[in-house]
Amino acid sequence: MSSTMSPPASTTSTAARVTTFLFALAVVFFLLAGLAIVIGQIATLAAGDATAARHWASTLAPYAFGGASVAGLLSFALSYGSAGGDDGDDPEPDEGADSGRDRG
């Protein structure tokens, strides 16, 4: 190996790393918001106030739904972005392509 060779380029772009981080953050946010809805409803129902349980859910639901929507859009963006690049991980070669195996 020559000392003039440059190190291999990073396979993950900055945009993909930021999008992945934001996706993970959105997933955690909507899961926590959903958990807060369920625990809050359990607590208010245990206290015997069904109206408060409905209000609790209707107050937090837009945040949970918004987090889930953002996570879904970021998931789509991540899948769309990775579909365009050729990372060499093609699990099934084309039928007409020679896979390098003996077929005889």
Side-chain angles (χ1 to χ4, degrees):
M1 202 182 236
S2 173
S3 63
T4 59
M5 292 180 64
S6 61
S10 174
T11 59
T12 307
S13 70
T14 302
R17 282 183 279 159
V18 168
T19 306
T20 302
F21 173 76
L22 291 175
F23 168 73
L25 189 65
V27 168
V28 169
F29 177 79
F30 93 78
L31 288 175
L32 289 176
L35 182 66
I37 290 171
V38 171
I39 290 175
Q41 284 185 317
I42 289 171
T44 54
L45 287 174
D49 192 357
T51 304
R54 283 190 299 271
H55 287 297
W56 180 262
S58 64
T59 301
L60 292 180
Y63 299 105
F65 179 76
S69 298
V70 169
L73 291 171
L74 290 171
S75 173
F76 173 74
L78 285 168
S79 69
Y80 183 74
S82 66
D86 183 18
D87 57 358
D89 288 340
D90 189 12
E92 297 179 20
D94 293 331
E95 297 224 0
D98 182 20
S99 64
R101 286 180 264 174
D102 244 4
R103 297 182 190 216

